């Protein structure tokens, strides 16, 4: 007897081999929650669904309830991003976004805005220049954390709340553990990292802007790597994880 069925729009985040021909798919569904399902026979050459279930694709799926994992019974393609696989840097940037979405999303925790943000970020990967692509990854990391209540402070001291006016050339105390930029007084009392003001200003601009507006920010190309380092360190400090796809991104630059 067939199990109960339901449909959902999903972003394909991750694929894991199962047995000889099946796949376990990890998705971000339209409610912004992470979910998994089995695609039976998806690794067979004649599979009707395998081409639709590429990483980053937006798909409409018919699921059947299973004992442990639900079963994918039908797939309809909504948005394909096959062009990303043609260029190593774009593929690496998209991989970072998908891995971050997989790490920070949770089962049964609805965040509809996170679905739309991830969808927009993947689509934006297709047309940005190289420097803007790296900034896009940094922006997504910071925005994803902020949406989960882990927003770094750039305008106020993360410890005492005193307003901070950043200068591009001046180095500032920044605490990944305590929540962001520090004033001079708090820098003497808390463990921190000294970061150039230009990197902090760039990070703040990325956090506050839309993905498609990143090229218009006219950020310094030499700040791209260090801004990504800041975003990765923030993720590591607050999620206790590392986004392994950034290794591929660094190799592709």
């Amino acid at each position: 007897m067939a199990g109960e069925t339901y449909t959902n729009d999903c972003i394909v985040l991750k694929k894991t081999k199962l047995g000889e021909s099946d796949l376990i798919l990890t998705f971000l569904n339209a409610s912004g929650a992470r979910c998994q399902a089995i695609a039976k026979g998806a690794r067979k050459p004649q599979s009707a669904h395998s081409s639709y279930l590429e990483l980053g694709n937006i798909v409409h799926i018919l699921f059947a309830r299973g004992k442990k994992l639900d079963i994918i019974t039908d797939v309809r393609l909504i948005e394909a991003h096959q062009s990303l696989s043609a260029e190593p840097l774009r593929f690496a940037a998209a991989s970072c976004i998908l891995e971050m979405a997989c790490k920070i999303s949770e089962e049964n925790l609805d965040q509809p805005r996170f679905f739309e943000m991830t969808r927009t970020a993947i689509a934006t990967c297709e047309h940005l220049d190289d420097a803007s692509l790296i900034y896009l990854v940094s922006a997504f990391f910071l925005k994803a954390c902020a949406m989960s209540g882990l927003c770094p402070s750039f305008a106020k001291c993360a410890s005492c709340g005193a307003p901070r006016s950043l200068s591009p050339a001046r180095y500032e105390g920044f605490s990944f553990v305590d929540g962001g930029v520090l004033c001079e007084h708090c820098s003497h009392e808390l463990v921190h990292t000294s970061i150039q003001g230009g990197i902090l200003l760039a990070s703040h601009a990325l956090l506050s802007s839309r993905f498609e507006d990143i090229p218009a920010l006219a950020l310094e190309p030499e700040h791209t790597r260090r801004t990504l380092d800041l975003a990765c360190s923030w993720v590591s400090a607050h999620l206790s994880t590392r986004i392994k796809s950034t290794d591929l991104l660094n190799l592709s630059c």
Side-chain angles (χ1 to χ4, degrees), residues 16-24 38-45:
T16 305
K17 293 180 180 179
L18 178 67
E20 295 184 358
S21 61
D22 300 342
L23 283 174
I24 296 177
I38 297 175
K40 292 186 175 295
R43 289 159 54 207
K44 292 181 178 179

Side-chain angles (χ1 to χ4, degrees), residues 160-174:
C160 70
R164 298 298 295 151
S165 180
L166 302 176
S167 173
R170 189 176 67 231
Y171 281 75
E172 302 282 349
F174 189 91

